[in-house]
């Protein structure tokens, strides 16, 4: 298939999706049920680690990820590590008040807005 990307992480069970599979269930953040997604976002809140490799990220999903992440004393999001390799951001990807402590990866990411 033209445009298909080969990745080195366990992928979502959803047909054609390369999003990284969550620990619970076989889906990525975009396709998981509420319980599995809430559990994964709970881990983000505790660790500050965001792993959305290959995930198609809507505005709503990005807001949920960032709203649940840890904050510093100024109220800025603190991501200890953020992996967005091959992710697709469907809307505005605003990281203006985000601090990436140990790096952020956007290799091959697609931004459909600005």
């Amino acid at each position: 298939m033209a445009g298909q990307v080969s990745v080195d992480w366990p992928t979502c069970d959803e047909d054609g999706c390369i999003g990284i599979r969550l620990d619970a269930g076989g889906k990525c953040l975009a396709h998981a049920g509420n319980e599995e997604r809430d559990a994964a976002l709970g881990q983000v809140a505790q660790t500050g680690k965001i792993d959305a490799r290959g995930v198609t990220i809507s505005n709503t999903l990005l807001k949920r990820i960032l709203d649940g992440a840890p904050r510093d004393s100024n109220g800025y999001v603190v991501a200890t590590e953020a992996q967005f390799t091959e992710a697709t951001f469907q809307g505005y990807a605003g990281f203006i008040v985000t601090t990436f402590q140990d790096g952020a990866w956007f290799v091959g990411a697609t931004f459909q807005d600005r």
Side-chain angles (χ1 to χ4, degrees):
M1 172 189 267
Q4 188 169 354
V5 175
S6 177
V7 297
D8 64 353
W9 55 79
T11 59
C12 179
D13 288 343
E14 193 76 18
D15 190 37
C17 181
I18 63 164
I20 187 162
R21 184 181 313 146
L22 299 176
D23 291 337
K27 306 284 183 174
C28 68
L29 276 171
H31 294 114
N34 289 332
E35 189 173 317
E36 291 85 7
R37 186 179 303 112
D38 289 347
L41 294 176
Q43 287 292 339
V44 171
Q46 290 178 11
T47 66
K49 291 184 179 182
I50 302 168
D51 192 351
R53 291 174 285 173
V55 175
T56 298
I57 304 172
S58 66
N59 284 346
T60 302
L61 181 55
L62 182 59
K63 182 172 176 10
R64 287 201 58 203
I65 292 168
L66 297 178
D67 282 353
R71 306 266 171 177
D72 66 14
S73 60
N74 295 317
Y76 291 5
V77 171
V78 177
T80 56
E81 182 179 302
Q83 297 198 35
F84 295 106
T85 299
E86 297 295 339
T88 298
F89 293 89
Q90 292 182 318
Y92 174 67
F95 295 97
I96 294 170
V97 292
T98 304
T99 300
F100 298 107
Q101 288 185 333
D102 293 330
W105 290 264
F106 292 90
V107 177
T110 302
F111 297 87
Q112 294 179 338
D113 197 340
R114 19 185 188 136

